[in-house]
PDB file of all heavy atoms in Angstrom:
ATOM      1  N   LEU A  22       0.844  -1.181  -0.015  1.00  0.00           N
ATOM      2  CA  LEU A  22      -0.027   0.045  -0.008  1.00  0.00           C
ATOM      3  C   LEU A  22       0.896   1.269  -0.054  1.00  0.00           C
ATOM      4  O   LEU A  22       1.900   1.227   0.615  1.00  0.00           O
ATOM      5  CB  LEU A  22      -0.917   0.005   1.204  1.00  0.00           C
ATOM      6  CG  LEU A  22      -1.846  -1.170   1.393  1.00  0.00           C
ATOM      7  CD1 LEU A  22      -2.696  -0.969   2.666  1.00  0.00           C
ATOM      8  CD2 LEU A  22      -2.825  -1.290   0.143  1.00  0.00           C
ATOM      9  N   LYS A  23       0.396   2.271  -0.637  1.00  0.00           N
ATOM     10  CA  LYS A  23       1.180   3.529  -0.672  1.00  0.00           C
ATOM     11  C   LYS A  23       1.428   4.095   0.726  1.00  0.00           C
ATOM     12  O   LYS A  23       2.501   4.650   0.997  1.00  0.00           O
ATOM     13  CB  LYS A  23       0.431   4.538  -1.578  1.00  0.00           C
ATOM     14  CG  LYS A  23       0.488   4.259  -3.042  1.00  0.00           C
ATOM     15  CD  LYS A  23      -0.103   5.372  -3.894  1.00  0.00           C
ATOM     16  CE  LYS A  23       0.043   5.025  -5.393  1.00  0.00           C
ATOM     17  NZ  LYS A  23      -0.600   6.194  -6.141  1.00  0.00           N
ATOM     18  N   GLY A  24       0.363   3.983   1.592  1.00  0.00           N
ATOM     19  CA  GLY A  24       0.549   4.503   2.920  1.00  0.00           C
ATOM     20  C   GLY A  24       1.644   3.727   3.687  1.00  0.00           C
ATOM     21  O   GLY A  24       2.398   4.356   4.446  1.00  0.00           O
ATOM     22  N   GLN A  25       1.729   2.455   3.467  1.00  0.00           N
ATOM     23  CA  GLN A  25       2.816   1.596   4.041  1.00  0.00           C
ATOM     24  C   GLN A  25       4.122   2.042   3.569  1.00  0.00           C
ATOM     25  O   GLN A  25       5.155   2.132   4.349  1.00  0.00           O
ATOM     26  CB  GLN A  25       2.527   0.155   3.810  1.00  0.00           C
ATOM     27  CG  GLN A  25       1.258  -0.413   4.409  1.00  0.00           C
ATOM     28  CD  GLN A  25       0.882  -1.788   4.027  1.00  0.00           C
ATOM     29  OE1 GLN A  25       1.410  -2.286   3.036  1.00  0.00           O
ATOM     30  NE2 GLN A  25      -0.035  -2.433   4.690  1.00  0.00           N
ATOM     31  N   GLN A  26       4.287   2.331   2.266  1.00  0.00           N
ATOM     32  CA  GLN A  26       5.521   2.794   1.734  1.00  0.00           C
ATOM     33  C   GLN A  26       5.957   4.094   2.343  1.00  0.00           C
ATOM     34  O   GLN A  26       7.147   4.259   2.623  1.00  0.00           O
ATOM     35  CB  GLN A  26       5.376   2.921   0.189  1.00  0.00           C
ATOM     36  CG  GLN A  26       5.160   1.614  -0.487  1.00  0.00           C
ATOM     37  CD  GLN A  26       4.914   1.815  -2.028  1.00  0.00           C
ATOM     38  OE1 GLN A  26       5.306   2.754  -2.531  1.00  0.00           O
ATOM     39  NE2 GLN A  26       4.268   0.934  -2.565  1.00  0.00           N
ATOM     40  N   GLY A  27       4.990   4.967   2.531  1.00  0.00           N
ATOM     41  CA  GLY A  27       5.310   6.287   3.127  1.00  0.00           C
ATOM     42  C   GLY A  27       5.832   6.173   4.492  1.00  0.00           C
ATOM     43  O   GLY A  27       6.750   6.836   4.904  1.00  0.00           O
ATOM     44  N   TRP A  28       5.200   5.276   5.279  1.00  0.00           N
ATOM     45  CA  TRP A  28       5.616   5.042   6.679  1.00  0.00           C
ATOM     46  C   TRP A  28       7.058   4.471   6.693  1.00  0.00           C
ATOM     47  O   TRP A  28       7.923   4.917   7.448  1.00  0.00           O
ATOM     48  CB  TRP A  28       4.681   4.085   7.339  1.00  0.00           C
ATOM     49  CG  TRP A  28       4.374   4.304   8.781  1.00  0.00           C
ATOM     50  CD1 TRP A  28       3.332   4.912   9.362  1.00  0.00           C
ATOM     51  CD2 TRP A  28       5.234   3.830   9.900  1.00  0.00           C
ATOM     52  NE1 TRP A  28       3.432   4.859  10.732  1.00  0.00           N
ATOM     53  CE2 TRP A  28       4.641   4.198  11.090  1.00  0.00           C
ATOM     54  CE3 TRP A  28       6.420   3.153   9.960  1.00  0.00           C
ATOM     55  CZ2 TRP A  28       5.157   3.980  12.349  1.00  0.00           C
ATOM     56  CZ3 TRP A  28       6.943   2.873  11.167  1.00  0.00           C
ATOM     57  CH2 TRP A  28       6.331   3.275  12.386  1.00  0.00           C
ATOM     58  N   TYR A  29       7.283   3.509   5.857  1.00  0.00           N
ATOM     59  CA  TYR A  29       8.641   2.927   5.665  1.00  0.00           C
ATOM     60  C   TYR A  29       9.724   3.967   5.353  1.00  0.00           C
ATOM     61  O   TYR A  29      10.732   4.050   5.965  1.00  0.00           O
ATOM     62  CB  TYR A  29       8.573   1.902   4.561  1.00  0.00           C
ATOM     63  CG  TYR A  29       9.855   1.280   4.156  1.00  0.00           C
ATOM     64  CD1 TYR A  29      10.372   0.105   4.728  1.00  0.00           C
ATOM     65  CD2 TYR A  29      10.617   1.781   2.967  1.00  0.00           C
ATOM     66  CE1 TYR A  29      11.518  -0.517   4.205  1.00  0.00           C
ATOM     67  CE2 TYR A  29      11.723   1.284   2.529  1.00  0.00           C
ATOM     68  CZ  TYR A  29      12.221   0.093   3.103  1.00  0.00           C
ATOM     69  OH  TYR A  29      13.409  -0.473   2.643  1.00  0.00           O
ATOM     70  N   THR A  30       9.362   4.884   4.372  1.00  0.00           N
ATOM     71  CA  THR A  30      10.346   5.903   4.085  1.00  0.00           C
ATOM     72  C   THR A  30      10.600   6.824   5.154  1.00  0.00           C
ATOM     73  O   THR A  30      11.724   7.143   5.444  1.00  0.00           O
ATOM     74  CB  THR A  30       9.795   6.672   2.813  1.00  0.00           C
ATOM     75  OG1 THR A  30       9.542   5.850   1.766  1.00  0.00           O
ATOM     76  CG2 THR A  30      10.693   7.824   2.460  1.00  0.00           C
ATOM     77  N   LYS A  31       9.540   7.190   5.913  1.00  0.00           N
ATOM     78  CA  LYS A  31       9.759   8.092   7.036  1.00  0.00           C
ATOM     79  C   LYS A  31      10.524   7.465   8.195  1.00  0.00           C
ATOM     80  O   LYS A  31      11.355   8.143   8.820  1.00  0.00           O
ATOM     81  CB  LYS A  31       8.398   8.560   7.502  1.00  0.00           C
ATOM     82  CG  LYS A  31       8.377   9.708   8.568  1.00  0.00           C
ATOM     83  CD  LYS A  31       7.051  10.255   8.900  1.00  0.00           C
ATOM     84  CE  LYS A  31       7.007  11.309   9.924  1.00  0.00           C
ATOM     85  NZ  LYS A  31       5.582  11.824  10.295  1.00  0.00           N
ATOM     86  N   TYR A  32      10.288   6.224   8.424  1.00  0.00           N
ATOM     87  CA  TYR A  32      11.069   5.395   9.437  1.00  0.00           C
ATOM     88  C   TYR A  32      12.561   5.488   9.094  1.00  0.00           C
ATOM     89  O   TYR A  32      13.381   5.754   9.956  1.00  0.00           O
ATOM     90  CB  TYR A  32      10.602   4.045   9.611  1.00  0.00           C
ATOM     91  CG  TYR A  32      11.457   3.196  10.440  1.00  0.00           C
ATOM     92  CD1 TYR A  32      11.333   3.186  11.852  1.00  0.00           C
ATOM     93  CD2 TYR A  32      12.412   2.406   9.947  1.00  0.00           C
ATOM     94  CE1 TYR A  32      12.162   2.364  12.613  1.00  0.00           C
ATOM     95  CE2 TYR A  32      13.330   1.599  10.694  1.00  0.00           C
ATOM     96  CZ  TYR A  32      13.178   1.656  12.013  1.00  0.00           C
ATOM     97  OH  TYR A  32      14.038   0.882  12.828  1.00  0.00           O
ATOM     98  N   TRP A  33      12.886   5.198   7.917  1.00  0.00           N
ATOM     99  CA  TRP A  33      14.283   5.064   7.527  1.00  0.00           C
ATOM    100  C   TRP A  33      14.976   6.447   7.457  1.00  0.00           C
ATOM    101  O   TRP A  33      16.239   6.526   7.445  1.00  0.00           O
ATOM    102  CB  TRP A  33      14.443   4.298   6.250  1.00  0.00           C
ATOM    103  CG  TRP A  33      14.332   2.805   6.427  1.00  0.00           C
ATOM    104  CD1 TRP A  33      13.285   1.978   6.050  1.00  0.00           C
ATOM    105  CD2 TRP A  33      15.235   1.939   7.217  1.00  0.00           C
ATOM    106  NE1 TRP A  33      13.486   0.745   6.579  1.00  0.00           N
ATOM    107  CE2 TRP A  33      14.703   0.678   7.201  1.00  0.00           C
ATOM    108  CE3 TRP A  33      16.426   2.242   7.830  1.00  0.00           C
ATOM    109  CZ2 TRP A  33      15.369  -0.383   7.851  1.00  0.00           C
ATOM    110  CZ3 TRP A  33      17.035   1.080   8.459  1.00  0.00           C
ATOM    111  CH2 TRP A  33      16.547  -0.175   8.398  1.00  0.00           C
ATOM    112  N   ALA A  34      14.169   7.553   7.346  1.00  0.00           N
ATOM    113  CA  ALA A  34      14.800   8.880   7.390  1.00  0.00           C
ATOM    114  C   ALA A  34      14.957   9.360   8.809  1.00  0.00           C
ATOM    115  O   ALA A  34      15.485  10.361   9.023  1.00  0.00           O
ATOM    116  CB  ALA A  34      13.837   9.827   6.607  1.00  0.00           C
ATOM    117  N   SER A  35      14.508   8.525   9.797  1.00  0.00           N
ATOM    118  CA  SER A  35      14.628   8.980  11.226  1.00  0.00           C
ATOM    119  C   SER A  35      15.944   8.943  11.724  1.00  0.00           C
ATOM    120  O   SER A  35      16.851   8.128  11.326  1.00  0.00           O
ATOM    121  CB  SER A  35      13.740   8.026  12.053  1.00  0.00           C
ATOM    122  OG  SER A  35      12.398   8.083  11.617  1.00  0.00           O
ATOM    123  N   LYS A  36      16.174   9.798  12.729  1.00  0.00           N
ATOM    124  CA  LYS A  36      17.440   9.844  13.476  1.00  0.00           C
ATOM    125  C   LYS A  36      17.144   9.769  14.916  1.00  0.00           C
ATOM    126  O   LYS A  36      16.152  10.267  15.466  1.00  0.00           O
ATOM    127  CB  LYS A  36      18.234  11.139  13.180  1.00  0.00           C
ATOM    128  CG  LYS A  36      18.840  11.153  11.744  1.00  0.00           C
ATOM    129  CD  LYS A  36      19.736  12.310  11.503  1.00  0.00           C
ATOM    130  CE  LYS A  36      20.408  12.235  10.115  1.00  0.00           C
ATOM    131  NZ  LYS A  36      21.332  13.362   9.903  1.00  0.00           N
ATOM    132  N   VAL A  37      18.064   9.070  15.628  1.00  0.00           N
ATOM    133  CA  VAL A  37      17.926   9.050  17.085  1.00  0.00           C
ATOM    134  C   VAL A  37      19.219   9.679  17.636  1.00  0.00           C
ATOM    135  O   VAL A  37      20.342   9.164  17.433  1.00  0.00           O
ATOM    136  CB  VAL A  37      17.836   7.624  17.624  1.00  0.00           C
ATOM    137  CG1 VAL A  37      17.673   7.558  19.172  1.00  0.00           C
ATOM    138  CG2 VAL A  37      16.625   6.926  16.949  1.00  0.00           C
ATOM    139  N   GLY A  38      19.044  10.805  18.391  1.00  0.00           N
ATOM    140  CA  GLY A  38      20.173  11.555  18.655  1.00  0.00           C
ATOM    141  C   GLY A  38      20.670  12.161  17.353  1.00  0.00           C
ATOM    142  O   GLY A  38      19.906  12.740  16.538  1.00  0.00           O
ATOM    143  N   ARG A  39      21.961  11.966  16.979  1.00  0.00           N
ATOM    144  CA  ARG A  39      22.397  12.451  15.630  1.00  0.00           C
ATOM    145  C   ARG A  39      22.688  11.257  14.735  1.00  0.00           C
ATOM    146  O   ARG A  39      23.238  11.501  13.683  1.00  0.00           O
ATOM    147  CB  ARG A  39      23.729  13.200  15.963  1.00  0.00           C
ATOM    148  CG  ARG A  39      23.536  14.515  16.669  1.00  0.00           C
ATOM    149  CD  ARG A  39      24.822  15.350  16.842  1.00  0.00           C
ATOM    150  NE  ARG A  39      24.598  16.591  17.474  1.00  0.00           N
ATOM    151  CZ  ARG A  39      25.575  17.460  17.672  1.00  0.00           C
ATOM    152  NH1 ARG A  39      26.781  17.233  17.217  1.00  0.00           N
ATOM    153  NH2 ARG A  39      25.238  18.601  18.343  1.00  0.00           N
ATOM    154  N   LYS A  40      22.235  10.087  15.147  1.00  0.00           N
ATOM    155  CA  LYS A  40      22.595   8.862  14.333  1.00  0.00           C
ATOM    156  C   LYS A  40      21.328   8.471  13.485  1.00  0.00           C
ATOM    157  O   LYS A  40      20.232   8.575  13.970  1.00  0.00           O
ATOM    158  CB  LYS A  40      22.967   7.715  15.165  1.00  0.00           C
ATOM    159  CG  LYS A  40      24.316   7.847  15.867  1.00  0.00           C
ATOM    160  CD  LYS A  40      24.697   6.567  16.539  1.00  0.00           C
ATOM    161  CE  LYS A  40      26.054   6.564  17.140  1.00  0.00           C
ATOM    162  NZ  LYS A  40      26.372   5.262  17.831  1.00  0.00           N
ATOM    163  N   SER A  41      21.564   8.014  12.208  1.00  0.00           N
ATOM    164  CA  SER A  41      20.511   7.487  11.458  1.00  0.00           C
ATOM    165  C   SER A  41      20.022   6.165  12.170  1.00  0.00           C
ATOM    166  O   SER A  41      20.785   5.440  12.753  1.00  0.00           O
ATOM    167  CB  SER A  41      21.034   7.070  10.104  1.00  0.00           C
ATOM    168  OG  SER A  41      20.172   6.231   9.423  1.00  0.00           O
ATOM    169  N   VAL A  42      18.735   5.935  12.074  1.00  0.00           N
ATOM    170  CA  VAL A  42      18.234   4.699  12.629  1.00  0.00           C
ATOM    171  C   VAL A  42      18.924   3.423  12.075  1.00  0.00           C
ATOM    172  O   VAL A  42      19.034   2.472  12.730  1.00  0.00           O
ATOM    173  CB  VAL A  42      16.707   4.578  12.467  1.00  0.00           C
ATOM    174  CG1 VAL A  42      16.319   4.369  10.985  1.00  0.00           C
ATOM    175  CG2 VAL A  42      16.048   3.521  13.356  1.00  0.00           C
ATOM    176  N   ALA A  43      19.399   3.610  10.890  1.00  0.00           N
ATOM    177  CA  ALA A  43      20.080   2.439  10.204  1.00  0.00           C
ATOM    178  C   ALA A  43      21.339   2.087  10.950  1.00  0.00           C
ATOM    179  O   ALA A  43      21.795   0.899  10.896  1.00  0.00           O
ATOM    180  CB  ALA A  43      20.503   2.830   8.747  1.00  0.00           C
ATOM    181  N   ALA A  44      21.945   2.966  11.727  1.00  0.00           N
ATOM    182  CA  ALA A  44      23.112   2.644  12.470  1.00  0.00           C
ATOM    183  C   ALA A  44      22.888   1.644  13.539  1.00  0.00           C
ATOM    184  O   ALA A  44      23.815   0.994  14.138  1.00  0.00           O
ATOM    185  CB  ALA A  44      23.748   3.935  13.136  1.00  0.00           C
ATOM    186  N   PHE A  45      21.625   1.442  13.914  1.00  0.00           N
ATOM    187  CA  PHE A  45      21.314   0.583  15.051  1.00  0.00           C
ATOM    188  C   PHE A  45      20.865  -0.854  14.687  1.00  0.00           C
ATOM    189  O   PHE A  45      20.487  -1.584  15.550  1.00  0.00           O
ATOM    190  CB  PHE A  45      20.151   1.271  15.835  1.00  0.00           C
ATOM    191  CG  PHE A  45      20.593   2.517  16.556  1.00  0.00           C
ATOM    192  CD1 PHE A  45      20.336   3.761  15.939  1.00  0.00           C
ATOM    193  CD2 PHE A  45      21.416   2.569  17.742  1.00  0.00           C
ATOM    194  CE1 PHE A  45      20.705   4.964  16.529  1.00  0.00           C
ATOM    195  CE2 PHE A  45      21.801   3.751  18.255  1.00  0.00           C
ATOM    196  CZ  PHE A  45      21.439   4.977  17.680  1.00  0.00           C
ATOM    197  N   VAL A  46      20.839  -1.163  13.392  1.00  0.00           N
ATOM    198  CA  VAL A  46      20.383  -2.462  12.918  1.00  0.00           C
ATOM    199  C   VAL A  46      21.409  -3.075  12.034  1.00  0.00           C
ATOM    200  O   VAL A  46      22.220  -2.471  11.403  1.00  0.00           O
ATOM    201  CB  VAL A  46      19.000  -2.383  12.171  1.00  0.00           C
ATOM    202  CG1 VAL A  46      17.949  -1.809  13.023  1.00  0.00           C
ATOM    203  CG2 VAL A  46      19.141  -1.656  10.857  1.00  0.00           C
ATOM    204  N   ASN A  47      21.414  -4.506  11.946  1.00  0.00           N
ATOM    205  CA  ASN A  47      22.316  -5.197  11.095  1.00  0.00           C
ATOM    206  C   ASN A  47      21.651  -5.664   9.820  1.00  0.00           C
ATOM    207  O   ASN A  47      22.273  -5.861   8.832  1.00  0.00           O
ATOM    208  CB  ASN A  47      22.847  -6.422  11.887  1.00  0.00           C
ATOM    209  CG  ASN A  47      23.610  -6.040  13.119  1.00  0.00           C
ATOM    210  OD1 ASN A  47      23.013  -6.305  14.277  1.00  0.00           O
ATOM    211  ND2 ASN A  47      24.762  -5.500  13.014  1.00  0.00           N
ATOM    212  N   VAL A  48      20.323  -5.686   9.851  1.00  0.00           N
ATOM    213  CA  VAL A  48      19.536  -6.212   8.770  1.00  0.00           C
ATOM    214  C   VAL A  48      18.263  -5.408   8.501  1.00  0.00           C
ATOM    215  O   VAL A  48      17.596  -5.041   9.437  1.00  0.00           O
ATOM    216  CB  VAL A  48      19.105  -7.685   9.076  1.00  0.00           C
ATOM    217  CG1 VAL A  48      18.189  -8.227   7.954  1.00  0.00           C
ATOM    218  CG2 VAL A  48      20.317  -8.631   9.322  1.00  0.00           C
ATOM    219  N   VAL A  49      17.963  -5.157   7.288  1.00  0.00           N
ATOM    220  CA  VAL A  49      16.776  -4.520   6.809  1.00  0.00           C
ATOM    221  C   VAL A  49      15.775  -5.577   6.593  1.00  0.00           C
ATOM    222  O   VAL A  49      16.106  -6.641   5.983  1.00  0.00           O
ATOM    223  CB  VAL A  49      16.989  -3.729   5.500  1.00  0.00           C
ATOM    224  CG1 VAL A  49      15.721  -3.091   4.978  1.00  0.00           C
ATOM    225  CG2 VAL A  49      18.066  -2.593   5.782  1.00  0.00           C
ATOM    226  N   ALA A  50      14.464  -5.368   6.945  1.00  0.00           N
ATOM    227  CA  ALA A  50      13.400  -6.357   6.818  1.00  0.00           C
ATOM    228  C   ALA A  50      12.202  -5.868   6.050  1.00  0.00           C
ATOM    229  O   ALA A  50      11.764  -4.727   6.345  1.00  0.00           O
ATOM    230  CB  ALA A  50      12.945  -6.970   8.140  1.00  0.00           C
ATOM    231  N   VAL A  51      11.792  -6.538   5.124  1.00  0.00           N
ATOM    232  CA  VAL A  51      10.550  -6.263   4.339  1.00  0.00           C
ATOM    233  C   VAL A  51       9.631  -7.458   4.250  1.00  0.00           C
ATOM    234  O   VAL A  51      10.101  -8.653   4.312  1.00  0.00           O
ATOM    235  CB  VAL A  51      10.858  -5.734   2.892  1.00  0.00           C
ATOM    236  CG1 VAL A  51      11.469  -4.375   3.037  1.00  0.00           C
ATOM    237  CG2 VAL A  51      11.765  -6.660   2.188  1.00  0.00           C
ATOM    238  N   ASN A  52       8.302  -7.283   4.160  1.00  0.00           N
ATOM    239  CA  ASN A  52       7.345  -8.345   3.933  1.00  0.00           C
ATOM    240  C   ASN A  52       6.788  -8.122   2.586  1.00  0.00           C
ATOM    241  O   ASN A  52       5.909  -7.295   2.408  1.00  0.00           O
ATOM    242  CB  ASN A  52       6.297  -8.394   5.018  1.00  0.00           C
ATOM    243  CG  ASN A  52       6.766  -8.716   6.374  1.00  0.00           C
ATOM    244  OD1 ASN A  52       7.995  -9.222   6.505  1.00  0.00           O
ATOM    245  ND2 ASN A  52       5.953  -8.657   7.415  1.00  0.00           N
TER     246      ASN A  52
END
């Protein structure tokens, strides 16, 4: 769904502190 894609994009654009959320995971997951 387009809404699901938008949520996904927003999540991966997130930062915690000054770090990308990607810095905290080893694997990307999709269904």
